[in-house]
Amino acid sequence: MSLDQISRTAYSEDHEAFRQTVRQFVEKELAPHALEWDRAGIFPREIFNKCGELGFLGINHDPKYGGSGLDYWYVTVWSEELVRSRNAGVNMALLVQGQMATPIINEIGTEEQKREFLQPALMGEKIAALGVSEPGAGSDVANLKTTARRVGDEYVINGSKMWITNGTRADFITLAVRTGEPGYGGVSLVTFPTDVKGFQVSKKLDKVGNLASDTAILYFEDCRIPVRYLLGEENQGFYHVMTNFQGERLTAAITTCAAMDQMISESIRYGSEREAFGRPIIKFQVWRHKFAEHLAAMEAAKRLTYHAVALFDAKENAVKEISMAKLFAGDLAQEVAYDCQQFFGGMGYIEETHIARAWRDIRLITIGGGTSEVMKEIISKMSF
Ligand SMILES: Cc1cc2nc3c(=O)[nH]c(=O)nc-3n(C[C@H](O)[C@H](O)[C@H](O)COP(=O)(O)OP(=O)(O)OC[C@H]3O[C@@H](n4cnc5c(N)ncnc54)[C@H](O)[C@@H]3O)c2cc1C
């Protein structure tokens, strides 16, 4: 049974109709360019516009600001179907836009912030980034050093952000800054327009995978923004960053399950045609058993992820379940990708073969948005 078939137990007809719309878009507009955009190290800005026009960037956001106000299962459908683009970099950039940089504004932004930043981001007119990580603070978010000093009606921002997705061309950043004491109690969030004087993209980073998404080091030198760009209350930002991580980690788990399904399906197809020693390689028992194991484990990952989605959609506390889903799916996907690539033999090491790119792209899942070790810390702290 494919992931699609399993999904039917959780999805309504409307979800499935939405799935078809997303699938058509992804297969027509994204998938044919997968290799080209990886080689270019970027993809056209118009993709944000197209996704905005089709409502893919504001699926679960407030309709007053261009969102569709739909439930989280629609986000799950969007995340699953995106994987068909065969370009994890594009998927990451689009998910940052709709599900990582904008949910906080949707939730706690002022009317003015929503009009100025959220609405154009949901329409795909402004590109959004999420700026939390720093050269010295990735896992240890509470230790971030970028300061926002209040001077009259303005914040003066100094510091640096690291590994920021959409960073080279973001029009604004949902930015975590230090406004108070050391530690988590001194962190605030602001909306930061990148046309402010003193802001600089220091470097576009060359990555191992997810090549079509731009990832940057950002530099802030005496950048002045109005105090009205503060998101929520001063020094309460850490809580919102942690809450926001839940959506990010959940989409990571969802896309990882869909990516595993894709890798396994492609491998089984390939192995039915490729012959060695007079038989299709999928007929070798060692591989049949390997894929049987992976199908069983993937099903478990998917069930765990859907359980987390159901809790998250019901607005229940899902931190432990989301951390488990990201940990389990992320670690499993490393084994699945390795075996699928191995199964492709020499073709698995060739850039044009999707599995080669999928293998290196999936490596990010146990690192980005909270490492597997951090997931284990969360699970253990919540369990004993
Ligand atoms: C391609 C890419 C895109 C990204 N996009 C964004 C983005 O858009 N916005 C953003 O803000 N960030 C982004 N990140 C940053 C990402 O979230 C961090 O890299 C990640 O959280 C890990 O932080 P770190 O790199 O500082 O690793 P570190 O915190 O230095 O960790 C190094 C190692 O130490 C381990 N470790 C750390 N703490 C513990 C502990 N308590 N117990 C056990 N082991 C521990 C880690 O698990 C890891 O193995 C991106 C990263 C990448 C690679």
Side-chain angles (χ1 to χ4, degrees), residues 2-4 6-8 11 19 76 80 254 257-258 260 297-307 328-329:
S2 75
L3 273 188
D4 277 4
I6 296 164
S7 316
R8 289 208 184 108
Y11 296 120
R19 184 184 295 283
T76 309
E80 286 177 343
I254 297 163
C257 288
M260 283 192 279
M298 181 188 73
E299 173 76 15
K302 181 120 205 266
R303 295 285 162 185
L304 183 56
T305 301
Y306 275 8
H307 175 53
F328 187 70

Side-chain angles (χ1 to χ4, degrees), residues 81-100:
E81 291 302 316
L82 259 183
V83 168
R84 290 172 186 269
S85 73
R86 291 179 169 71
N87 191 310
V90 173
N91 305 347
M92 180 165 75
L94 295 173
L95 287 169
V96 163
Q97 177 89 2
Q99 297 301 322
M100 297 171 207

